[in-house]
Amino acid sequence: MLRALRTAALGMNAQQTNVDNIAHNLANANTTGFKSARVVFQDLLYQTVQTPGQEEAEGLTPPASLQLGSGVAVVATVRQFTQGSLVETGNALDLAINGDGFFQIRRPDGSIVYTRDGTFTLNADGTFVTQTGLPLEPELSVPPDTVEIHISQDGVVSVRLQGETERIEIGQLELARFPNPAGLRALGGNLYEQTEASGFPILGTPGEEGFGTVKQGFLEAANVDVVQEMVNLITAQRAYEINSKMVSTTEEMLQTASQMKR
């Protein structure tokens, strides 16, 4: 019965982690470029009392095994990089990636991080930066007398200067993608960094060699399915309740056993 107590407690802990993950997904349902995650469970070690196919003393061979499990554990949270819906904003500095790829962002220490959040703005020098002031990589700067910014689907950035009728090209957006994007480490602030599990970044031009295209005036919404997350929440809640009931039942059984008289 002590095994049942431990197993049920592990089940409650696992479902608590599941609920924590669901809460994080729902909290970011309106976060630009957010990618939801799901919890992965695995069963723990088994105690093998009887091995199938092993001949017993009577000469009989049992067709099935007798194994007692020891519970469940959370082994991973897998981020799902499915495409979020594109929301039109009309802002020329808002960019969305329709397909595979990440924008590259340079941190103050010179390292590169990655994001799907294309909510860019211009700093005092006319450089494309995130809402927290981190510059886009490769760096893009617009002249001070710019009156129009145009970004094509293949990432070509051009501007029209005051008093001019034609646009001039000032730069090219470059995207990065990874062999295993689920292996990226989330840093917060809609940023990810490369890990050994993600593999090295593959750089390329939007719309070419498997990269997505860039949509100016759009933002990518979070890929959180609110209805599915609510279903997952109810399922996790019921599983938690069942494991809690198992703890209560085992406690009652232990109490009954302790009160038995010889």
Side-chain angles (χ1 to χ4, degrees):
M1 285 184 283
L2 292 177
R3 179 196 298 273
L5 275 176
R6 289 193 297 268
T7 301
L10 288 171
M12 293 175 69
N13 285 333
Q15 292 305 325
Q16 180 61 62
T17 302
N18 192 18
V19 170
D20 290 342
N21 181 72
I22 293 169
H24 182 66
N25 288 340
L26 289 173
N28 285 280
N30 291 323
T31 301
T32 303
F34 176 78
K35 300 302 178 184
S36 62
R38 62 180 177 86
V39 172
V40 179
F41 302 96
Q42 279 188 0
D43 52 352
L44 296 179
L45 292 174
Y46 288 82
Q47 177 189 358
T48 301
V49 181
Q50 174 180 287
T51 304
Q54 182 177 354
E55 186 174 338
E56 296 182 339
E58 296 81 1
L60 301 176
T61 302
S65 65
L66 174 55
Q67 292 183 298
L68 300 176
S70 55
V72 65
V74 175
V75 295
T77 52
V78 179
R79 199 164 299 279
Q80 304 174 94
F81 282 93
T82 54
Q83 178 75 44
S85 59
L86 301 186
V87 180
E88 186 172 7
T89 65
N91 185 345
L93 298 177
D94 287 342
L95 304 176
I97 301 173
N98 187 20
D100 195 10
F102 294 85
F103 296 111
Q104 302 175 84
I105 305 298
R106 188 174 72 253
R107 292 194 286 189
D109 62 1
S111 61
I112 302 298
V113 290
Y114 307 90
T115 186
R116 294 279 298 191
D117 181 3
T119 314
F120 295 109
T121 187
L122 299 178
N123 64 11
D125 299 324
T127 302
F128 276 70
V129 295
T130 66
Q131 294 299 309
T132 56
L134 298 177
L136 184 65
E137 178 68 25
E139 185 175 298
L140 282 173
S141 297
V142 300
D145 55 345
T146 297
V147 295
E148 180 187 351
I149 300 174
H150 180 267
I151 302 174
S152 65
Q153 292 193 2
D154 57 359
V156 176
V157 182
S158 55
V159 298
R160 184 170 63 84
L161 304 179
Q162 187 173 11
E164 300 292 334
T165 58
E166 300 292 331
R167 292 194 294 257
I168 58 172
E169 184 177 327
I170 62 168
Q172 169 73 54
L173 290 177
E174 186 179 64
L175 301 182
R177 58 187 179 93
F178 293 86
N180 176 31
L184 293 169
R185 179 185 293 114
L187 302 175
N190 295 344
L191 300 175
Y192 302 93
E193 71 176 356
Q194 171 195 342
T195 67
E196 291 186 5
S198 68
F200 291 102
I202 303 168
L203 306 182
T205 302
E208 297 181 3
E209 300 177 348
F211 286 93
T213 57
V214 174
K215 296 277 290 183
Q216 184 182 20
F218 288 80
L219 290 175
E220 182 186 7
N223 68 347
V224 177
D225 186 338
V226 175
V227 174
Q228 184 60 52
E229 294 295 336
M230 294 302 297
V231 172
N232 294 342
L233 178 60
I234 294 171
T235 303
Q237 180 184 8
R238 293 294 177 262
Y240 188 92
E241 291 174 355
I242 291 170
N243 281 283
S244 174
K245 179 63 176 177
M246 188 70 250
V247 171
S248 301
T249 301
T250 305
E251 182 184 9
E252 292 173 4
M253 293 173 66
L254 286 170
Q255 186 176 6
T256 300
S258 66
Q259 293 173 351
M260 291 179 64
K261 294 182 179 181
R262 296 182 178 179

